[in-house]
Amino acid sequence: MNKLTYKDDKFYLDEKPLVIVSGTMHYFRIPKEYWYDRLLKLKECGFNTVETYTCWNLHEPKEGEFHFDGMLDIEEYINTAQELGLYVILRPGPYICAEWEFGGLPAWLLTYKDMELRCNDPVYLSKVHRYYKELLGRLNRFFACNGGNIIMLQIENEYGSYGNDKEYLKSILNMYKEFNIDSLFFTSDGAEFSMLTGGALEGFLSVANFGSRPQIQKQIMDRYFPNQPFMCGEYWCGWFDHWGEKHHVRNYQEIVDDFKTFMDNDWSINVYMFHGGTNFNFYNGANHFGTYEPTVTSYDYGALLSEAGDRTEAYYKFREILKEKFKDKVPELTAKESEKKAYGKVNLTEQAYLFENLDNISKPIQVVSPKYMEDIGQNFGYVLYRTTIKGPFDAYKLYIEHIHDRAQIFINDEHRVTYYRNDVINDEERITLPLDFNEIAKLDILVENMGRVNYGPKLRDQKGAVGIRFNNQYHFGWDMYSLPMTDLSNLEFKSIDNLSKKEPSFLRGYFLIDETPKDTFIKLEGFTKGFVMINGINIGRYFNIAGPQKTLYVPAPFLKEGKNEIIVFESDITTSSVVEFLDKPEL
């Protein structure tokens, strides 16, 4: 296969005109066992291309340590697309946004205090270079110039929304060329002149990202790039959700009408998202434009395939348009929807309190003053700061200068207050710790990383609680406990005896499946905040805030026939020790 080219307003592949009909599906948000199913549904809808980002932060979680197995096996993902006859648009970042933790950048970058992100900083570029060498070395054989199915490769990502360093964009481009990649390189930005000025690179294809009014967007692009084909690099068919919002639902007729406009005019499109998937584990990102807004676990996005991979009404409408345009080139429907099952209620009968188990799942790191999570080599999860205060001590008020993102404060294991980074804390609301002679108090501050900012000028979002003082006196001498919550095998569980105690704890139970497992959805009525692990897999966060997510998706591949273990970490308090598995989501 020759590489994709363009002339005037048309793309050409193997010297034949090509209208790119692409849909976004991120391999790292979909269980590997479902990749074939989701890609087949894309093909059977009439699409000819799949687009995906890559996630640097999961591929290189520790500097110089690479992972490409399981749900990170991008080679297998692209190979599966190739077997199905699908082209691939690859967007490797290094920054991806995507409502993904830190926009896909690895947290360890934040330990380089003098390094600037996303610009021609030589230290930053050296880190990108190492990642790209590993990633693109694995994928080189899949590029069209080498007989593969990757036909387009993005230079950075929506860069005009962040900066305007053209030398940086050229450095990324030069890396591609250094690794012997010959592809159709492109940039993508919002269809606004300032964004295009900052993010486009002269001599290379520029595509526009938007979610409505394609005719108006085309006028902008024609004025800025008069001799290029018009393509929407991200057509937003829905939107993502933050905790506390209503679930975003879009009138599907609007997107159907826009899609028909694209097809009627032979304009190329990438639908974002064709299938959103899930922010498993602690991988959700956040926005911050004056207020910190973390993204929920579900990335349903109102996409053409639901979070569980089911076809929506919009899917069938898009398929009708493509059948009308491409006739018998659209294959028949053969893919099945996954079976769902309501496994019912499960009693959690065992409990392990966090403070009693600290030394079973973590070891103290002694520090003079509190440090950020990244400074002790931690990416995700929670961190606990512990110290002792010796009397006599006046009733000074406790101040924490930087809380990222949610801090629960305990004195002698008793919960006193919870501070959230958006809170405005009045002095009269601050806690004090008056102690008499010979009195000693233990102070614990448990901080949750609720997701690093993934878009905008506040990307450098370090996690933890620093600048802890009483009145004007900084307190020194702390133990820090790293709690990534990846291995809970050493927890010591006991029978549940008291649910009213407001102390973070793990609750465990088991349930049996006497057949091939089915997809299901877990509801945690009566629980407040935390995450759920099933058979050692973190399926994501829950939060009883007003909305929008009331259930968590549990894919069948995460379950097994026979005995299944469920552990719920409740950071606040629960009035129930029962969870329920449903056959439908509640968003």
Side-chain angles (χ1 to χ4, degrees):
M1 184 190 300
N2 295 317
K3 77 172 186 177
L4 182 70
T5 60
Y6 64 88
K7 183 178 180 181
D8 297 327
D9 64 345
K10 287 185 172 56
F11 289 108
Y12 293 88
L13 188 62
D14 294 332
E15 300 181 354
K16 297 177 182 177
L18 175 69
V19 176
I20 299 168
V21 187
S22 174
T24 299
M25 294 196 290
H26 301 145
Y27 59 96
F28 47 88
R29 280 181 159 129
I30 309 167
K32 185 176 182 179
E33 294 85 348
Y34 284 160
W35 286 351
Y36 181 86
D37 172 79
R38 307 308 196 247
L39 290 167
L40 178 60
K41 287 173 178 172
L42 179 85
K43 181 180 178 67
E44 290 183 349
C45 191
F47 284 57
N48 56 28
T49 305
V50 62
E51 179 266 304
T52 186
Y53 286 126
T54 71
C55 49
W56 184 6
N57 57 354
L58 298 194
H59 286 307
E60 193 181 3
K62 294 183 179 180
E63 189 167 5
E65 179 183 297
F66 293 98
H67 295 266
F68 288 90
D69 56 347
M71 285 174 62
L72 299 178
D73 189 356
I74 186 174
E75 293 174 80
E76 180 61 28
Y77 186 74
I78 294 175
N79 186 65
T80 302
Q82 188 169 30
E83 290 175 351
L84 286 167
L86 291 168
Y87 305 126
V88 172
I89 297 173
L90 186 66
R91 303 170 74 187
Y95 160 83
I96 62 174
C97 185
E99 290 71 59
W100 190 252
E101 228 268 355
F102 197 14
L105 299 174
W108 50 259
L109 287 175
L110 296 173
T111 64
Y112 290 85
K113 307 299 183 183
D114 297 327
M115 182 186 72
E116 295 293 337
L117 302 172
R118 300 184 70 192
C119 68
N120 215 41
D121 182 293
V123 179
Y124 175 69
L125 287 174
S126 71
K127 311 305 179 187
V128 176
H129 185 277
R130 181 179 57 216
Y131 168 53
Y132 273 8
K133 182 178 181 180
E134 182 73 27
L135 173 72
L136 298 175
R138 293 170 176 270
L139 301 183
N140 194 286
R141 62 193 169 98
F142 289 109
F143 284 89
C145 61
N146 295 323
N149 56 330
I150 300 176
I151 59 172
M152 296 177 68
L153 181 62
Q154 182 176 255
I155 308 168
E156 239 275 356
N157 179 60
E158 294 187 320
Y159 187 63
S161 300
Y162 181 83
N164 60 358
D165 188 346
K166 302 294 183 169
E167 294 305 311
Y168 166 57
L169 297 179
K170 291 176 184 176
S171 294
I172 298 294
L173 180 65
N174 288 335
M175 288 184 203
Y176 294 159
K177 294 179 179 179
E178 177 187 344
F179 300 133
N180 300 313
I181 293 173
D182 184 17
S183 183
L184 177 58
F185 304 115
F186 73 100
T187 60
S188 66
D189 290 284
E192 299 180 14
F193 292 132
S194 293
M195 292 182 182
L196 294 168
T197 299
L201 197 56
E202 186 176 356
F204 294 91
L205 176 71
S206 177
V207 304
N209 299 343
F210 55 85
S212 62
R213 305 179 303 166
Q215 298 95 332
I216 295 175
Q217 311 290 350
K218 185 178 188 305
Q219 290 174 12
I220 295 171
M221 296 302 288
D222 283 349
R223 185 176 175 189
Y224 209 103
F225 303 102
N227 298 311
Q228 291 187 359
F230 177 57
M231 179 175 178
C232 181
E234 290 184 11
Y235 176 78
W236 306 316
C237 64
W239 206 242
F240 53 91
D241 296 329
H242 295 130
W243 291 111
E245 297 177 343
K246 291 183 178 179
H247 175 51
H248 286 88
V249 178
R250 186 172 180 184
N251 182 343
Y252 78 87
Q253 192 59 50
E254 294 176 355
I255 65 172
V256 169
D257 292 343
D258 283 349
F259 186 69
K260 189 171 190 313
T261 298
F262 273 91
M263 294 302 99
D264 288 345
N265 289 280
D266 286 339
W267 298 337
S268 291
I269 187 173
N270 176 59
V271 177
Y272 190 102
M273 301 285 298
F274 186 88
H275 172 47
T278 308
N279 297 315
F280 295 115
N281 211 306
F282 301 126
Y283 299 149
N284 64 280
N287 288 115
H288 197 316
F289 300 102
T291 301
Y292 174 75
E293 298 176 303
T295 304
V296 303
T297 298
S298 171
Y299 202 61
D300 180 84
Y301 208 90
L304 274 64
L305 295 182
S306 72
E307 182 180 9
D310 296 332
R311 302 178 184 92
T312 64
E313 196 162 3
Y315 176 99
Y316 292 105
K317 294 293 185 180
F318 274 47
R319 188 172 184 273
E320 288 176 11
I321 293 169
L322 292 171
K323 277 188 70 70
E324 181 181 341
K325 182 173 181 62
F326 296 113
K327 306 297 190 278
D328 57 358
K329 291 183 179 180
V330 176
E332 295 301 312
L333 293 175
T334 64
K336 309 295 184 184
E337 309 293 28
S338 69
E339 292 186 61
K340 315 294 188 300
K341 183 153 185 178
Y343 289 106
K345 294 182 178 181
V346 175
N347 290 310
L348 308 179
T349 59
E350 300 172 298
Q351 189 171 30
Y353 288 108
L354 174 64
F355 296 154
E356 294 175 5
N357 282 270
L358 270 180
D359 291 329
N360 295 330
I361 59 175
S362 183
K363 299 301 178 188
I365 301 170
Q366 293 183 344
V367 296
V368 174
S369 60
K371 296 181 179 295
Y372 284 115
M373 176 184 288
E374 298 83 2
D375 295 327
I376 61 170
Q378 184 179 344
N379 296 334
F380 309 109
Y382 301 72
V383 61
L384 180 75
Y385 301 85
R386 170 169 286 180
T387 193
T388 55
I389 313 292
K390 296 180 180 180
F393 197 75
D394 294 307
Y396 284 178
K397 298 179 186 299
L398 175 66
Y399 291 82
I400 306 176
E401 293 173 356
H402 300 284
I403 298 173
H404 289 192
D405 301 303
R406 189 173 186 262
Q408 296 169 266
I409 299 173
F410 301 84
I411 297 175
N412 295 328
D413 294 345
E414 179 185 346
H415 179 265
R416 293 289 297 274
V417 69
T418 297
Y419 293 145
Y420 183 46
R421 71 186 283 178
N422 290 332
D423 292 343
V424 177
I425 305 167
N426 298 319
D427 269 2
E428 57 269 21
E429 298 173 324
R430 295 187 181 278
I431 64 172
T432 61
L433 194 58
L435 297 174
D436 206 341
F437 283 88
N438 300 319
E439 274 193 292
I440 296 176
K442 181 179 67 170
L443 172 64
D444 286 310
I445 302 175
L446 179 65
V447 181
E448 179 186 1
N449 166 8
M450 293 179 64
R452 290 184 181 85
V453 172
N454 60 255
Y455 182 83
K458 297 185 181 292
L459 277 182
R460 191 173 279 278
D461 185 19
Q462 293 180 279
K463 298 303 186 182
V466 300
I468 303 176
R469 56 185 168 86
F470 291 92
N471 281 13
N472 294 324
Q473 183 188 84
Y474 286 97
H475 184 77
F476 297 108
W478 295 81
D479 285 338
M480 289 181 63
Y481 289 83
S482 175
L483 298 168
M485 304 297 193
T486 51
D487 182 3
L488 304 181
S489 59
N490 290 327
L491 289 172
E492 294 181 359
F493 284 92
K494 302 174 183 177
S495 296
I496 293 177
D497 60 355
N498 181 13
L499 283 179
S500 63
K501 187 177 180 182
K502 194 171 184 180
E503 179 182 327
S505 68
F506 303 85
L507 291 88
R508 183 170 69 178
Y510 299 91
F511 62 103
L512 295 175
I513 297 178
D514 59 4
E515 59 183 355
T516 301
K518 309 292 192 301
D519 282 2
T520 189
F521 305 87
I522 185 171
K523 187 171 185 178
L524 297 104
E525 195 73 41
F527 290 77
T528 301
K529 195 176 194 310
F531 65 90
V532 179
M533 293 189 81
I534 294 182
N535 297 325
I537 301 171
N538 187 336
I539 64 169
R541 310 175 198 260
Y542 66 88
F543 197 1
N544 73 346
I545 199 168
Q549 184 168 4
K550 299 298 184 184
T551 57
L552 295 173
Y553 173 50
V554 184
F558 293 0
L559 303 171
K560 58 187 178 182
E561 190 171 351
K563 188 177 182 180
N564 291 263
E565 178 193 62
I566 175 170
I567 295 177
V568 178
F569 176 68
E570 172 56 61
S571 66
D572 290 48
I573 191 168
T574 176
T575 59
S576 172
S577 59
V578 178
V579 298
E580 184 174 9
F581 289 95
L582 310 175
D583 57 4
K584 292 182 178 63
E586 290 186 22
L587 289 176

